[in-house]
């Protein structure tokens, strides 16, 4: 497919093709949202083993919420080209038993994340002061958690304490949501978060949140550090990288995370 170059001063779209390494299966899982197809490759030699169609709407924007190694389940959320969030899916890559849940069609879902401890997907929105919970463990039900503002485009899960952290650029805050009660418990304001930084990670070893303040699709500003936030003390400090941090990837087995720039470098950070 081909698209002409246009002004990209807007929330950048996530890739419509998703690739996940399923190390427990020695497989590589690939999803093509243009054709709504799932592909399974051998993790050793890269050969295609199988493919099948998915009963999800083709095109638009496909969000990768997460992959659960225990059930070999891929969790996806589909957003149309008109920016309406329409479907959440739990895809069993081995058996083909898929669960697809319709959504209320709010616009511009961002920071979508999966919580394996509760078998839930969380969908914050850039345009709405709300978070939708898709609970696959309890009847594939959909619940709404009201939060104070819009601009919610980064989230992280503290699975051990059933907490959801949501970064919002509306007032530069982080909202803390109790997932057991499904309600807002606290806001930490004045953090200087700007649109659209997307990335927020939680380190259960240090109980700190990490996010890049400067990466923005809207104003072109780029910082050169990662901010570490203690959500209990509400204190921040910086990890200087020397270049703009574009994405953060958790490495639970090492108690650290990787910080990537937009070109050819990454750093491993422990705090």
């Amino acid at each position: 497919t081909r698209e002409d170059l246009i002004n990209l001063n807007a929330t950048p779209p996530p890739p419509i093709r998703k690739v996940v390494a399923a190390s427990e299966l020695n497989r590589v899982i690939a999803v093509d949202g243009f054709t709504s197809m799932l592909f399974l490759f051998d993790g050793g030699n890269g050969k295609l083993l199988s493919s099948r169609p998915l009963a999800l709407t083709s095109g638009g924007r496909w969000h990768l919420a997460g992959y659960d190694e225990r059930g070999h389940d891929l969790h996806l959320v589909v957003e149309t080209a008109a920016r309406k969030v329409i479907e959440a899916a739990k895809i069993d890559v081995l058996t083909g038993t898929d669960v697809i849940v319709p959504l209320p069609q709010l616009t511009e879902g961002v920071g979508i994340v999966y919580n394996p401890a509760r078998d839930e997907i969380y969908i914050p929105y850039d345009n709405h002061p709300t978070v939708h919970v898709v609970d696959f463990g309890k009847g594939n039900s959909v619940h709404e958690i009201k939060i104070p503002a819009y601009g919610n485009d980064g989230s992280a899960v503290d699975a051990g304490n059933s907490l959801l952290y949501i970064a919002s650029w509306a007032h530069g805050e982080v909202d803390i949501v109790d997932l057991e009660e499904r309600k807002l418990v606290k806001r930490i304001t004045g953090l200087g978060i700007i649109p659209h930084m997307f990335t927020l990670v939680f380190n259960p070893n240090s109980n700190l949140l990490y996010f890049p303040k400067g990466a923005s699709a809207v104003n072109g500003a780029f910082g050169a550090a990662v901010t570490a936030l203690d959500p209990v003390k509400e204190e921040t400090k910086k990890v200087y990288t020397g270049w703009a941090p574009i994405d953060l990837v958790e490495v639970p087995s090492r108690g650290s995370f990787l910080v990537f720039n937009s070109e050819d470098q990454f750093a491993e950070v422990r705090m």
Side-chain angles (χ1 to χ4, degrees):
T1 184
R2 179 180 183 272
E3 293 185 21
D4 292 331
L5 290 175
I6 59 172
N7 182 1
L8 295 179
N9 187 19
T11 308
I16 199 166
R17 292 190 173 103
K18 307 295 183 183
V19 179
V20 173
S23 56
E24 84 284 4
L25 298 173
N26 191 30
R27 297 289 184 265
V28 174
I29 306 160
V31 173
D32 177 23
F34 285 108
T35 58
S36 297
M37 291 290 295
L38 174 74
F39 300 89
L40 202 60
F41 297 89
D42 187 291
N45 57 32
K47 291 183 178 180
L48 177 64
L49 300 175
S50 63
S51 64
R52 65 178 176 90
L54 300 173
L56 291 168
T57 304
S58 300
R61 301 177 178 216
W62 285 39
H63 300 262
L64 174 62
Y67 176 71
D68 190 350
E69 296 180 350
R70 300 168 303 175
H72 320 299
D73 298 315
L74 188 67
H75 297 82
L76 302 167
V77 173
V78 176
E79 179 182 339
T80 68
R83 306 303 308 274
K84 293 182 178 180
V85 183
I86 58 172
E87 298 162 336
K90 180 178 183 178
I91 306 297
D92 189 318
V93 301
L94 290 184
T95 69
T97 304
D98 303 335
V99 177
I100 298 174
V101 179
L103 294 169
Q105 302 194 19
L106 296 188
T107 55
E108 298 201 25
V110 196
I112 297 167
V113 67
Y114 173 69
N115 181 359
R118 297 178 59 89
D119 201 14
E120 294 176 340
I121 291 177
Y122 308 115
I123 308 171
Y125 295 90
D126 195 3
N127 287 347
H128 304 275
T130 194
V131 180
H132 278 123
V133 179
V134 183
D135 189 342
F136 292 105
K138 296 182 179 179
N140 308 316
S141 53
V142 178
H143 307 267
E144 184 178 39
I145 302 172
K146 301 300 292 184
I147 52 179
Y150 59 90
N152 308 295
D153 59 11
S155 56
V157 174
D158 177 359
N161 294 302
S162 289
L163 295 175
L164 175 66
Y165 299 97
I166 302 170
S168 169
W169 56 262
H171 303 286
E173 73 270 17
V174 168
D175 294 328
I176 304 177
V177 173
D178 184 324
L179 296 173
E180 290 283 353
E181 300 292 331
R182 291 193 175 129
K183 67 179 183 181
L184 179 75
V185 294
K186 187 170 75 167
R187 300 179 76 199
I188 304 174
T189 60
L191 295 174
I193 296 169
I194 60 176
H196 293 282
M197 40 74 70
F198 296 121
T199 300
L200 180 71
V201 298
F202 175 77
N203 188 338
N205 297 290
S206 63
N207 293 317
L208 296 179
L209 288 162
Y210 304 91
F211 55 90
K213 272 189 182 179
S216 172
V218 174
N219 59 20
F222 291 94
V226 173
T227 297
L229 167 66
D230 185 326
V232 176
K233 297 180 180 179
E234 301 187 16
E235 297 175 348
T236 61
K237 51 186 175 182
K238 291 184 178 181
V239 181
Y240 290 96
T241 59
W243 30 255
I246 299 300
D247 200 8
L248 311 181
V249 176
E250 297 173 81
V251 189
S253 62
R254 295 176 63 87
S256 64
F257 62 96
L258 305 179
V259 186
F260 290 85
N261 71 4
S262 61
E263 295 183 7
D264 59 357
Q265 291 180 307
F266 73 89
E268 184 175 15
V269 175
R270 292 187 180 94
M271 290 185 65

